[in-house]
Amino acid sequence: MTAAPPARRSRGVAVLGSTGSIGVATLRVLDRHRDAFHLVALVAGSRQDALAEQVAAWRPQLAGLVHGDEDTPFASGAGVLVAAATHPDVDIVVNAVVGAVGLDATLAALRAGKRVALANKETLVMAGPLVAEAARSGGGELVPIDSEHSAVLQCVTAQGSAPSRLILTASGGPFRTWERDRLARATVAEALQHPTWRMGSKISVDSATLANKALEVIEAHYLFGLPYDAIEVVVHPQSIIHALVEFPDGSVLAQLGFPSMELPILYALSHPDRLADEGLRRFDPIAAGPLTFEPLRNECFPAFMLGLSAGRAGGTMPAAFNAANEVAVAAFLSGRIGFGGIAGVIEDVLTRIDAGPQPTLDAVRATDAEARRIARQVVA
Ligand SMILES: NC(=O)c1ccc[n+]([C@@H]2O[C@H](COP(=O)([O-])OP(=O)(O)OC[C@H]3O[C@@H](n4cnc5c(N)ncnc54)[C@H](OP(=O)(O)O)[C@@H]3O)[C@@H](O)[C@H]2O)c1
């Protein structure tokens, strides 16, 4: 007779951006795994009613609303993200806020020795070396939620050795087959109609311009330590294969699944273990149908090319790209610029900004602020 393995301690989780697409999917996953995890903290941006419903259902120790007014019953202000991320009962921080606002919480959680399950890719893009240093100095750990990076991590973990090349897949977004002149006139409603994923509005627009895929290439560079020449992108409209990972002998592993963020979220919580989950749709190759691949039409998606060149330039240039993109997407969503204007704003910012080689935190913040200032000027 062998002794049963010791039961694993339930791990405390903070969900930052709990009212968003990833936040809500995370709560669905946690609901199915109440023995393995318990919710400690919930933080939302400004939607008090949506947060109140979650708080009533989950009764977390800490509930925060970053943009709450003086009447809000929840902790409020910018500090609540860091307070939740460093709460002593939290083991895993799911960072699912959108944009640069997530940076301080990621750094603080890693310095406090937590696992950061990262959806908020903007954090890593703007300050990759600083995020790595925070993890090293504090003993924290960064685990991706992005489906492509989760796929890479799953292949690398299964193989137990370092990859030599990554091929990230891209659905191609809603404008995969559109011609360039029609693309420039695309409406907000058209840009938000993603063919395979239902997501928040910012990442949906990023997926339409393919700026999202550039953010993901930079994210992969920092997460897996590969040079940009070893990270490729291929369009795969069905979004079934999430990444292809090549090892030094030329063998390629892939991770497959129907498009759902719940599997990568669960894996980010349980890595390197796997938890049984009957709530996830089982894979069926016949239902998935033919899997096809095509090259990315670089000439139609200039935001992708601008992002790649910012990544390759390194230093604070990725922070400038991210900030310019955030301002441009917000301007597009509020009708101040057209779809074609997004890449134009980014290009103007990257041309005019004085980005530095050493990404210290001060330099990243200064570049972020300066890129936003120039971008707003260009928009106006
Ligand atoms: N959705 C996906 O399938 C997917 C896949 C991969 C990666 N990601 C990444 O995950 C992150 C979240 O994406 P999402 O689609 O879940 O976005 P979303 O649906 O727009 O949700 C964003 C969340 O962040 C909160 N938030 C917004 N602005 C904030 C601010 N200034 N301060 C604090 N909190 C703020 C929102 O709160 P309120 O509701 O109160 O406004 C909401 O809870 C992004 O970085 C995205 O790129 C998403």
Side-chain angles (χ1 to χ4, degrees), residues 58 76 92 97 248 275 284 338:
W58 285 90
S76 65
I92 305 174
V97 298
L275 298 177
D284 173 352

Side-chain angles (χ1 to χ4, degrees), residues 179-319:
E179 289 311 321
R180 208 176 167 161
D181 50 343
R182 187 174 166 213
L183 256 176
R185 298 188 308 274
T187 65
V188 170
E190 288 167 335
L192 293 179
Q193 273 311 309
H194 196 277
T196 50
W197 299 96
R198 291 286 154 262
M199 310 178 285
S201 53
K202 194 263 181 180
I203 184 176
S204 294
V205 176
D206 285 351
S207 300
T209 60
L210 291 183
N212 182 54
K213 216 37 73 174
L215 294 172
E216 288 182 5
V217 169
I218 300 171
E219 182 185 7
H221 166 75
Y222 288 131
L223 276 173
F224 302 107
L226 284 171
Y228 283 102
D229 284 341
I231 307 172
E232 297 170 18
V233 173
V234 69
V235 173
H236 166 50
Q238 298 82 19
S239 299
I240 296 289
I241 295 179
H242 302 299
L244 298 138
V245 183
E246 186 184 85
F247 291 92
D249 62 359
S251 180
V252 174
L253 301 191
Q255 189 262 334
L256 286 73
F258 290 120
S260 159
M261 289 310 294
E262 292 187 29
L263 179 62
I265 290 168
L266 175 62
Y267 189 70
L269 296 170
S270 71
H271 167 81
D273 300 332
R274 291 193 183 272
L275 298 177
D277 191 326
E278 293 306 318
L280 292 168
R281 183 179 174 197
R282 284 326 192 227
F283 189 60
D284 173 352
I286 305 296
L291 304 182
T292 61
F293 303 93
E294 41 191 82
L296 196 149
R297 296 180 307 144
N298 293 338
E299 69 286 1
C300 291
F301 297 100
F304 172 74
M305 298 306 289
L306 289 164
L308 274 199
S309 63
R312 283 178 183 273
T316 55
M317 210 48 134

Side-chain angles (χ1 to χ4, degrees), residues 12 43 50 57 69 73 75 91 109 115 150 164 177 183 198 201 204 264 278 294 297 361 365:
V43 182
D69 56 29
D91 302 291
R115 168 177 296 190
S150 175
S164 51
T177 58
L183 256 176
R198 291 286 154 262
S201 53
S204 294
E278 293 306 318
E294 41 191 82
R297 296 180 307 144
L361 192 51
R365 287 196 209 289

Side-chain angles (χ1 to χ4, degrees), residues 1-354:
M1 235 170 73
T2 52
R8 251 197 122 135
R9 173 178 79 81
S10 164
R11 279 169 286 174
V13 179
V15 184
L16 315 182
S18 63
T19 50
S21 161
I22 293 289
V24 168
T26 301
L27 294 182
R28 277 200 298 270
V29 170
L30 291 175
D31 192 35
R32 297 197 296 269
H33 295 279
R34 288 180 183 257
D35 48 344
F37 308 103
H38 59 280
L39 190 72
V40 175
L42 287 172
V43 182
S46 54
R47 292 193 301 137
Q48 180 165 315
D49 291 351
L51 178 66
E53 273 180 34
Q54 294 180 338
V55 169
W58 285 90
R59 309 235 157 261
Q61 294 181 49
L62 173 67
L65 192 66
V66 174
H67 300 293
D69 56 29
E70 65 261 25
D71 298 330
T72 182
F74 307 116
S76 65
V80 294
L81 288 168
V82 169
T86 56
H87 190 290
D89 295 342
V90 165
D91 302 291
I92 305 174
V93 177
V94 176
N95 190 344
V97 298
V98 57
V101 68
L103 178 61
D104 288 349
T106 294
L107 293 174
L110 293 171
R111 285 189 195 118
K114 318 281 191 196
R115 168 177 296 190
V116 175
L118 188 74
N120 178 228
K121 65 192 90 182
E122 296 92 340
T123 281
L124 196 55
V125 167
M126 64 190 293
L130 300 174
V131 172
E133 173 52 30
R136 256 194 310 276
S137 69
E141 178 192 18
L142 196 63
V143 184
I145 282 182
D146 238 339
S147 56
E148 298 78 358
H149 305 74
S150 175
V152 173
L153 180 65
Q154 292 180 54
C155 293
V156 168
T157 304
Q159 177 64 26
S161 59
S164 51
R165 184 167 65 114
L166 308 180
I167 305 174
L168 306 181
T169 54
S171 71
F175 306 139
R176 178 173 64 88
T177 58
W178 286 33
E179 289 311 321
R180 208 176 167 161
D181 50 343
R182 187 174 166 213
L183 256 176
R185 298 188 308 274
T187 65
V188 170
E190 288 167 335
L192 293 179
Q193 273 311 309
H194 196 277
T196 50
W197 299 96
R198 291 286 154 262
M199 310 178 285
S201 53
K202 194 263 181 180
I203 184 176
S204 294
V205 176
D206 285 351
S207 300
T209 60
L210 291 183
N212 182 54
K213 216 37 73 174
L215 294 172
E216 288 182 5
V217 169
I218 300 171
E219 182 185 7
H221 166 75
Y222 288 131
L223 276 173
F224 302 107
L226 284 171
Y228 283 102
D229 284 341
I231 307 172
E232 297 170 18
V233 173
V234 69
V235 173
H236 166 50
Q238 298 82 19
S239 299
I240 296 289
I241 295 179
H242 302 299
L244 298 138
V245 183
E246 186 184 85
F247 291 92
D249 62 359
S251 180
V252 174
L253 301 191
Q255 189 262 334
L256 286 73
F258 290 120
S260 159
M261 289 310 294
E262 292 187 29
L263 179 62
I265 290 168
L266 175 62
Y267 189 70
L269 296 170
S270 71
H271 167 81
D273 300 332
R274 291 193 183 272
L275 298 177
D277 191 326
E278 293 306 318
L280 292 168
R281 183 179 174 197
R282 284 326 192 227
F283 189 60
D284 173 352
I286 305 296
L291 304 182
T292 61
F293 303 93
E294 41 191 82
L296 196 149
R297 296 180 307 144
N298 293 338
E299 69 286 1
C300 291
F301 297 100
F304 172 74
M305 298 306 289
L306 289 164
L308 274 199
S309 63
R312 283 178 183 273
T316 55
M317 210 48 134
F321 169 71
N322 177 64
N325 182 52
E326 284 189 28
V327 173
V329 170
F332 170 66
L333 285 170
S334 61
R336 283 173 291 145
I337 59 172
F339 186 78
I342 298 175
V345 171
I346 298 171
E347 186 166 20
D348 269 16
V349 171
L350 296 188
T351 311
R352 284 165 57 183
I353 194 111
D354 190 15

